[in-house]
Amino acid sequence: MKKEEAEKRIATLTLEINEHNHKYYVFSQPVISDREFDRMLEELIKLETEFPNLLKPNSPSQRVGGAITKEFATVRHKYAMLSLGNTYNEEELLEFDTRVRKQLGDDFEYACELKFDGVAISLTYVDGQLVQAATRGDGVQGDDVTANVRTICSIPLTLPQGDYPDRFEVRGEIFMHRHEFDRINSQRATDGATSYANPRNFASGTLKMQDSAEVARRNLDCFIYGFYADEEIFANHFEAMHRIKSWGFKVSDMLVKCKDMTGVLSYIADVEKDRLQLGFDIDGVVIKVNSHLQQAELGFTAKSPRWAISYKYKAESVTTRLLAITYQVGRTGAITPVANLEPVWLGGTTVKRASLHNADIIEKLDVREGDFVYVEKGGEIIPKITGVDIAKREPDSTPHVYATHCPECGTALQRTEGEVQHYCPNEGGCPPQLKGKIEHFVSRKAMDIDTLGSARIDMLYEKGLVKNVADIYSLDYDALIGLESEKEDEVGEVRKTSFQEKTVANLIEGIAISRKQPMEKVLFALGIRHVGDTVAKKLAAHFHSFQNLARATREELIAVPEIGEVIADSIIAFFEVAANADVVKKLAEYGLQMEVVHNETNAPLSDKLKGKSFVVSGTFVKFTREELKSLIERHGGKNSSSVSSKTSFLLAGNDSGPAKIEKATQNKVAVISEEEFEQLIA
């Protein structure tokens, strides 16, 4: 076949396959057999293999996946993906309705739709072609998951001719049908593998897989619920959703208009009654003012639109027997009591454990071993005990006596007056605390070795390969390859952890890259009490090396701006411990940056902000918070975490905390935007 003939045939096959995909996955109305569809797809793949120059990114052949994504690039959203305010009862909904009517009067209507329990996604189309798919992230920027999203058959890759803008964006929710989730778990059980916990987390994990072919095999789906473009082309949300449905997008049929809150409450009740028969998970209903003009009039708060709210259904609750109360030690030494339960089905998973938080909660609820307790699971948080069925309590039951010693190392527990938590003070010898220090060391704001999660750190510690942070740099391929372990998580589910070829390669590469992190990152990573990332920067800038810092006297430390007696004493105490000094020495031997190295990324730029103090709050369009803080310091300014009368500016972005804005107003502190900050340093 000649290239011209192949090009025509590919165009015909693409059009037909897209039409059949749409009929099958959006309308559930197939008109040809699976075998006929497979033959068409096989022919298309064969032609694209023979004529690779004719393969387009949005070809239907890309639905089967195959692209490998080692890293997901971060992309900025053109339109911020704000979160919705939540409400859990009728009174709060009526309060929302009152606020809306106070500004709009009574001449408006609501649009109500399902609140899907999945992963929010932003899809950008240019000239009818899908060009980018991004996760929500922090609302300002997310991960580019385009290769994986192309495998989702209900998301159109190429739109048919229509009256859509040259460039626009739709928002939706990627999810997994329950029958598909059950099919995969059933197969895993047959294979002897651990079952997945719930469809939402499974969908989220699937979307971030490196192999798009594996994503394709998991049959994700997507409902669209939002439309964005530079020009307003629809009068209201209801109209927008019906129009984009005609363009080929999958929109839920359960979108309705309601004239008032009576209709909204009726819709909420109807959905709650039938939601278990939907075949996919929802956790509530979204209520929006329908008119786009009225939405604009109502505007936004720092975190969410004033014209929309979500009603979340009450968390599921069950009763089961409390078998025993045990204790977990956190990375800071904090002790958390855990209720070990008779296994019970709750929120799509079997629950074996629940948090009891602290001694005060146990005393308040009067929880005792052997009691029948009420367990609740809201969203996908760790289950919690909300009460006790006293009527079923055994006559010989006795109150629970809280632990006096650490369950891991036997050290006597301490509780500071005014605090609710008990602590184990054995920082240098308590295994969970040692592992916690390692977790902090590899975290993103510290050394940023993202391949080392808590499960892998647990395994390395238990196998004796890593006992302190310096041991990370002794790891090599031979020590890691093939390591495996199984461990129960917080809810009692067994999780398998292993080091395969790709994981080991990524970890060794991540460890090598971390050696280039600047001195202030290494200092922060060590987890010295009271030395956060801002303090670490100030100390590095003043002393220039670990050697100078370790030799500094109390007076010399206090002489550093904003370093008080508490921080000074903590630093001195850290270096006086021989094991800590030995770790610092080993890190230097492994080639980490133990001195300040000036380069183009941290070199001073000007003194325009000299004497000015900034608090940075919220998310921004052009810069991340860390980039803004760096610019402030490079122009001679100082960063602070809280607003006070000494603060010069509150640099506020989207989602900026209302408490900080209120405090800035009270203290007559100037609140500036990202653009105004750029003018200050221009």
Side-chain angles (χ1 to χ4, degrees):
M1 183 181 290
K2 294 181 179 180
K3 182 179 179 181
E4 293 77 11
E5 295 174 318
E7 190 169 12
K8 289 181 180 179
R9 182 57 182 161
I10 286 174
T12 300
L13 286 168
T14 297
L15 181 63
E16 292 179 358
I17 291 172
N18 282 337
E19 287 178 354
H20 289 301
N21 256 329
H22 186 64
K23 289 174 181 174
Y24 184 89
Y25 290 101
V26 177
F27 294 114
S28 299
Q29 296 175 348
V31 294
I32 61 173
S33 68
D34 290 348
R35 184 61 194 135
E36 288 177 282
F37 182 88
D38 290 342
R39 284 186 186 134
M40 293 170 66
L41 188 59
E42 288 167 6
E43 182 183 354
L44 176 63
I45 293 172
K46 182 180 178 182
L47 287 171
E48 289 174 340
T49 303
E50 292 178 10
F51 300 92
N53 292 336
L54 299 180
L55 173 60
K56 296 180 179 179
N58 285 341
S59 167
S61 63
Q62 301 309 292
R63 298 284 194 193
V64 299
I68 301 297
T69 306
K70 291 187 176 180
E71 291 185 6
F72 294 94
T74 300
V75 294
R76 291 187 177 273
H77 299 301
K78 186 173 183 180
Y79 313 97
M81 295 184 74
L82 300 179
S83 57
L84 289 176
N86 292 325
T87 180
Y88 296 88
N89 55 57
E90 183 177 326
E91 289 74 23
E92 291 174 349
L93 265 184
L94 293 174
E95 288 173 7
F96 166 76
D97 183 61
T98 300
R99 292 194 298 270
V100 171
R101 291 184 185 280
K102 185 176 180 180
Q103 190 162 345
L104 297 181
D106 295 330
D107 188 18
F108 71 94
E109 63 184 1
Y110 289 117
C112 298
E113 57 197 3
L114 303 180
K115 187 176 185 298
F116 305 104
D117 196 14
V119 185
I121 197 73
S122 165
L123 306 171
T124 301
Y125 287 79
V126 176
D127 296 329
Q129 301 289 322
L130 175 65
V131 297
Q132 181 178 283
T135 60
R136 181 182 185 276
D138 62 7
V140 173
Q141 57 187 17
D143 292 328
D144 188 330
V145 290
T146 309
N148 287 345
V149 165
R150 282 196 176 106
T151 69
I152 302 174
C153 293
S154 56
I155 294 177
L157 305 180
T158 300
L159 301 180
Q161 288 188 345
D163 55 350
Y164 43 79
D166 294 338
R167 183 186 182 92
F168 67 90
E169 187 177 319
V170 293
R171 301 272 170 80
E173 196 90 356
I174 291 175
F175 65 96
M176 177 171 283
H177 290 275
R178 287 199 204 105
H179 67 78
E180 183 66 18
F181 178 73
D182 293 341
R183 179 190 68 80
I184 293 172
N185 264 350
S186 176
Q187 183 60 53
R188 289 180 65 80
T190 301
D191 297 340
T194 305
S195 297
Y196 294 107
N198 57 72
R200 183 180 73 176
N201 289 358
F202 189 36
S204 178
T206 297
L207 204 57
K208 295 297 294 291
M209 295 187 74
Q210 293 183 333
D211 185 356
S212 62
E214 180 58 30
V215 178
R217 285 191 282 271
R218 296 188 176 187
N219 296 325
L220 296 176
D221 204 344
C222 181
F223 277 120
I224 302 298
Y225 53 70
F227 173 84
Y228 295 81
D230 289 341
E231 295 183 13
E232 187 63 74
I233 63 174
F234 300 119
N236 57 63
H237 178 67
F238 198 80
E239 178 190 347
M241 292 303 97
H242 277 75
R243 184 75 67 82
I244 68 172
K245 187 175 183 179
S246 71
W247 296 345
F249 293 102
K250 185 171 183 174
V251 177
S252 171
D253 292 331
M254 296 183 73
L255 168 66
V256 302
K257 288 189 289 186
C258 299
K259 292 182 178 180
D260 52 31
M261 196 51 65
T262 301
V264 171
L265 293 172
S266 177
Y267 176 80
I268 288 171
D270 289 342
V271 171
E272 183 171 22
K273 183 174 61 177
D274 298 330
R275 67 183 177 125
L276 295 179
Q277 280 71 53
L278 289 173
F280 51 83
D281 290 344
I282 65 168
D283 58 359
V285 166
V286 177
I287 302 101
K288 301 175 180 177
V289 171
N290 193 29
S291 165
H292 288 167
L293 279 177
Q294 290 176 327
Q295 287 180 7
E297 184 179 344
L298 288 165
F300 301 83
T301 67
K303 295 183 177 181
S304 57
R306 289 192 176 93
W307 43 265
I309 197 167
S310 72
Y311 177 91
K312 301 192 81 171
Y313 292 116
K314 192 178 185 301
E316 289 185 65
S317 181
V318 294
T319 305
T320 189
R321 186 187 290 274
L322 170 57
L323 302 176
I325 296 175
T326 56
Y327 297 87
Q328 289 182 341
V329 186
R331 66 184 67 182
T332 62
I335 304 297
T336 302
V338 177
N340 293 269
L341 307 168
E342 201 168 81
V344 61
W345 184 257
L346 175 64
T349 185
T350 300
V351 173
K352 300 176 185 176
R353 294 177 185 162
S355 174
L356 281 167
H357 302 292
N358 54 60
D360 290 349
I361 295 294
I362 291 178
E363 184 178 355
K364 180 181 177 181
L365 296 175
D366 188 21
V367 178
R368 307 178 185 185
E369 293 182 343
D371 278 346
F372 279 86
V373 294
Y374 298 104
V375 186
E376 187 175 289
K377 190 177 184 184
E380 293 307 327
I381 60 172
I382 297 171
K384 62 182 179 181
I385 290 178
T386 58
V388 177
D389 189 345
I390 300 295
K392 293 183 179 179
R393 175 172 284 170
E394 298 292 340
D396 58 349
S397 172
T398 57
H400 179 73
V401 178
Y402 203 83
T404 58
H405 290 73
C406 176
E408 297 285 344
C409 66
T411 304
L413 300 180
Q414 296 178 358
R415 184 179 185 182
T416 305
E417 187 176 349
E419 294 187 1
V420 298
Q421 215 82 35
H422 286 72
Y423 287 88
C424 169
N426 184 18
E427 292 183 49
C430 186
Q433 295 189 64
L434 293 172
K435 289 184 280 187
K437 289 180 183 294
I438 298 170
E439 282 189 50
H440 173 75
F441 187 85
V442 304
S443 64
R444 179 170 293 185
K445 290 181 71 174
M447 302 306 287
D448 195 18
I449 308 175
D450 61 1
T451 314
L452 264 186
S454 59
R456 291 196 172 102
I457 289 171
D458 276 347
M459 187 203 302
L460 294 174
Y461 184 89
E462 300 302 333
K463 294 185 181 295
L465 294 173
V466 173
K467 290 295 184 183
N468 58 57
V469 298
D471 290 342
I472 293 170
Y473 296 91
S474 68
L475 297 172
D476 57 25
Y477 180 89
D478 291 336
L480 295 171
I481 193 68
L483 288 178
E484 288 187 350
S485 72
E486 289 187 354
K487 193 171 184 179
E488 283 192 358
D489 62 14
E490 292 91 341
V491 295
E493 296 198 15
V494 177
R495 302 296 183 191
K496 186 175 181 180
T497 305
S498 64
F499 280 97
Q500 302 302 322
E501 186 81 32
K502 188 183 295 184
T503 304
V504 174
N506 289 341
L507 176 55
I508 291 174
E509 181 184 7
I511 291 172
I513 293 172
S514 76
R515 286 186 169 91
K516 300 176 183 178
Q517 293 283 17
M519 175 188 164
E520 63 262 26
K521 291 276 191 180
V522 181
L523 180 55
F524 170 64
L526 286 172
I528 302 173
R529 184 165 292 179
H530 306 303
V531 178
D533 55 343
T534 300
V535 170
K537 288 177 183 176
K538 295 182 186 302
L539 291 169
H542 186 88
F543 291 103
H544 303 296
S545 72
F546 266 89
Q547 188 177 47
N548 293 338
L549 179 62
R551 293 174 177 174
T553 65
R554 191 171 190 263
E555 290 71 26
E556 288 171 335
L557 287 164
I558 294 173
V560 180
E562 298 182 36
I563 303 300
E565 295 177 356
V566 173
I567 296 175
D569 291 342
S570 179
I571 293 168
I572 291 171
F574 176 84
F575 284 105
E576 283 179 345
V577 176
N580 294 337
D582 185 55
V583 165
V584 172
K585 180 182 177 182
K586 286 182 178 178
L587 292 177
E589 291 172 354
Y590 282 122
L592 275 70
Q593 302 295 316
M594 312 304 281
E595 298 180 354
V596 173
V597 178
H598 286 293
N599 54 48
E600 61 181 17
T601 63
N602 64 10
L605 294 173
S606 78
D607 59 358
K608 291 180 179 180
L609 304 181
K610 186 176 181 180
K612 305 294 184 184
S613 172
F614 288 77
V615 172
V616 182
S617 177
T619 53
F620 301 85
V621 176
K622 293 185 179 179
F623 305 99
T624 65
R625 273 203 299 263
E626 293 305 312
E627 288 170 343
L628 287 169
K629 289 179 179 180
S630 175
L631 284 171
I632 288 167
E633 292 173 357
R634 293 175 69 191
H635 284 283
K638 296 179 180 179
N639 287 297
S640 179
S641 59
S642 59
V643 177
S644 70
S645 58
K646 296 180 180 179
T647 305
S648 306
F649 298 99
L650 171 61
L651 177 48
N654 294 322
D655 295 339
S656 180
K660 287 184 177 176
I661 294 175
E662 183 179 349
K663 198 168 183 180
T665 304
Q666 292 172 352
N667 287 283
K668 298 181 180 180
V669 173
V671 181
I672 62 172
S673 65
E674 188 175 14
E675 293 76 15
E676 290 169 321
F677 173 75
E678 287 184 286
Q679 292 171 12
L680 287 178
I681 63 174

